[in-house]
Amino acid sequence: MNADMVIVGAGIVGLCTAVAAVRGGRAVVVVDPGSASTAVSAASGGLIRRFDLGGGLGDLVSAGFDRMRECATACSAYQPTGALTLQYSNDPLPTHVRTRTVPYAARSMRRRWPQIAVPPNVIGVFEEGAGWVDAPVLLAAIRSELRSRGVEFVTDRADHLVTDRGRVRGVVTSAGRVIAAPRVLVAAGIGSTRLAATAGVDFPLRTRRIGYCLLRIGRDRTRGLPTIVDRVGGTWVRPCRDPDLVLVGRRQEVFGVPAEIRHDISGADVHEIRRTIAQLLPAAADAPLAGGVTAYDVARPAPGDPRVRHCPDPRGLTIAAGWNGGGFKAAPAIAELAFEPRVLVEEEV
């Protein structure tokens, strides 16, 4: 089997890159043993906004937001609730969002959103038109589009990369299938480390625990509620398709967890989420539990480590992993960095 590009990993980064490649007229093969529902991206809360996306990619990510929203709207996976980011009043705003957001003082926020409580030294940065994406629905829709465009999904595990004279030449799967291509994107989450090593590339990653729960606070308290990212308290919350529910999570710094997704959550995690979210959304403190998810994302060991690497040796190999939860929201921008039509045209096989 031959292709212009092999993409290993069918999460949101891999799929968005595949779309960019196909629309650029390239033949693509996607290698992933799972389905849309088993990708770790499916466990994402799906918050999309311009603020603080992509680790400082700025205008590129802002443009990516527009494409993500357009794609998600087309398959009815997008909910334009608006997005409110809370931060200390003396923290600077990213330059790429200053003209696209409305700042709110604490008192103004309490008037507009009486469900929430914020201290006086906190401001809210509100983005009209932002919101959240139903991640499983969007992933399934993108896979369907790619299939309709003739993209083949190989449901084997990528075993190793093929290299020759300082260039990547393709991928061999666990079933012994050889897929020849002059360019390979590895976007396989925690598995990217093992696969990169088969080409002599060191790309360390670690898992980090994520968890969130569904709380039944009632539609009178969800009405008009935006998605909220509280950079002060380390929590986030968004409405759900069911108007009685909110999805609530908190920042966790627990690393080295199993790479698995469970559709349940421990009592201890629920207690800690309730305790922290009650400072922002008091109605959540004792609201009935309606479900939860315990999963993981993948991070680079140091916050400043690059998360997209174009390898000089072997040439043609790109690794895009370690987004620590931001990969879903910044995926179109990552696709631009990972897929370079000019390189594909100019480099010889």
Side-chain angles (χ1 to χ4, degrees), residues 69-85:
R69 182 174 59 180
E70 178 183 359
C71 177
T73 299
C75 64
S76 301
Y78 186 56
Q79 302 296 318
T81 58
L84 182 67
T85 301

Side-chain angles (χ1 to χ4, degrees), residues 139-341:
L139 289 166
I142 296 176
R143 288 177 72 107
S144 178
E145 177 189 343
L146 289 171
R147 289 187 186 281
S148 72
R149 290 174 175 268
V151 172
E152 181 167 355
F153 285 80
V154 175
T155 55
D156 297 337
R157 184 175 67 94
D159 186 74
H160 63 273
L161 301 173
V162 179
T163 62
D164 179 46
R165 290 175 290 183
R167 286 201 55 94
V168 71
R169 298 294 178 179
V171 173
V172 177
T173 74
S174 56
R177 194 171 186 176
V178 180
I179 308 168
R183 193 160 185 82
V184 174
L185 169 70
V186 176
I190 194 65
S192 301
T193 297
R194 178 197 61 80
L195 195 57
T198 67
V201 177
D202 183 35
F203 197 85
L205 294 165
R206 58 180 180 171
T207 56
R208 185 190 71 163
R209 187 170 69 181
I210 61 173
Y212 52 80
C213 58
L214 292 160
L215 299 176
R216 193 173 299 278
I217 67 171
R219 62 192 65 198
D220 57 325
R221 294 187 176 96
T222 64
R223 189 175 296 112
L225 189 70
T227 64
I228 304 173
V229 176
D230 182 1
R231 290 161 54 88
V232 176
T235 57
W236 58 272
V237 58
R238 70 157 171 81
C240 299
R241 290 187 183 273
D242 184 332
D244 286 322
L245 301 178
V246 290
L247 195 106
V248 178
R250 70 179 184 92
R251 184 173 58 238
Q252 298 190 48
E253 300 299 324
V254 180
F255 297 97
V257 299
E260 61 184 20
I261 302 171
R262 302 198 324 267
H263 292 277
D264 58 50
I265 188 167
S266 71
D269 279 347
V270 173
H271 173 77
E272 192 60 23
I273 288 173
R274 287 187 191 276
R275 185 187 67 80
T276 52
I277 199 63
Q279 303 169 49
L280 170 65
L281 190 64
D286 56 1
L289 180 68
V293 167
T294 302
Y296 70 100
D297 57 21
V298 178
R300 297 281 273 144
D305 286 349
R307 292 164 291 184
V308 174
R309 180 189 294 178
H310 298 293
C311 299
D313 184 13
R315 294 175 65 206
L317 173 63
T318 298
I319 307 169
W323 294 87
N324 207 22
F328 185 91
K329 295 171 279 293
I334 301 169
E336 286 196 10
L337 294 177
F339 172 64
E340 299 175 89

